[in-house]
Amino acid sequence: MREGRKIVFIGQNDVGEPDSLSYAVMCVLDPSKIVGKTEASESRGFGQPLSPAETYVIRFPLSDMNIIWNTHAYVGGIKATEINNVKTNTLWVRGTYGAGGIGTGGNPTFEYIFDDNLKIIEVKYDSETLRLRQDFVSQGKLHGTFDQTYLENLKNGVRYWNGKEWQKEPTMVKH
């Protein structure tokens, strides 16, 4: 992702999801290929030709807390980082939860760390996310604990758009 100039869009995909929840997404564009009016291959239907500028589109999974609270996930930030002299990127997937009779409200956050090929290396959570999940567990709304299996499931739930369908393995958009 560091090679050459790229445009990165982060946020949420709320177009046509059958469960009405929004997934957090990141789109990477090659600015040298932005020409005229086009549309994204993952949200067809606007009557424009496909954009050749799309290089990566990544969708992050919903956590069990998103589903229990019926809330949207979004990418709340991204930054270039370095871990053990290896260039990485860190992205935060967040959800805003109001009290609504369940828990005490808050902003659970999952930190996704990925390499320059946009392969997810690791997923982490913060102390507020741990507290919110413990609230759910104590109320009987969720079961289990945050452990490596939980984080691996989030990591393995990341999907990459290949231009036609979502893939489990990192892939670029094919034009």
Side-chain angles (χ1 to χ4, degrees):
M1 195 161 104
R2 297 172 198 273
E3 295 176 17
R5 293 187 161 269
K6 302 288 182 207
I7 298 172
V8 178
F9 290 99
I10 56 174
Q12 65 181 214
N13 174 18
D14 60 357
V15 179
E17 299 298 345
D19 56 11
S20 79
L21 295 176
S22 296
Y23 290 87
V25 294
M26 177 176 75
C27 302
V28 180
L29 303 179
D30 178 345
S32 70
K33 295 181 180 177
I34 297 175
V35 179
K37 291 183 179 182
T38 59
E39 68 184 24
S41 62
E42 73 279 4
S43 60
R44 298 293 313 232
F46 296 97
Q48 302 295 330
L50 289 178
S51 173
E54 287 181 301
T55 56
Y56 286 96
V57 179
I58 302 171
R59 182 178 78 186
F60 298 88
L62 296 168
S63 71
D64 53 358
M65 290 185 289
N66 290 108
I67 293 165
I68 270 265
W69 222 319
N70 194 31
T71 190
H72 304 286
Y74 64 95
V75 177
I78 185 171
K79 76 173 187 174
T81 55
E82 195 168 300
I83 299 173
N84 299 326
N85 296 322
V86 175
K87 292 180 180 179
T88 62
N89 298 281
T90 300
L91 175 139
W92 293 272
V93 173
R94 296 191 167 109
T96 301
Y97 301 87
I102 302 175
T104 56
N107 295 299
T109 301
F110 291 95
E111 179 180 346
Y112 288 80
I113 300 169
F114 50 95
D115 65 18
D116 272 351
N117 296 316
L118 300 180
K119 180 177 178 162
I120 304 300
I121 299 169
E122 183 178 14
V123 179
K124 299 178 180 181
Y125 56 86
D126 62 14
S127 59
E128 182 178 12
T129 305
L130 177 60
R131 178 190 61 79
L132 288 167
R133 190 152 198 304
Q134 287 172 335
D135 285 351
F136 282 133
V137 170
S138 69
Q139 295 171 22
K141 305 284 184 188
L142 291 175
H143 303 284
T145 60
F146 273 152
D147 56 14
Q148 197 55 42
T149 301
Y150 184 96
L151 297 174
E152 282 296 315
N153 286 337
L154 287 176
K155 177 180 165 184
N156 293 330
V158 172
R159 294 294 180 260
Y160 301 83
W161 183 252
N162 71 3
K164 292 187 180 188
E165 60 187 359
W166 294 105
Q167 301 289 308
K168 183 176 179 175
E169 296 301 317
T171 185
M172 296 179 74
V173 176
K174 310 277 190 291
H175 300 285

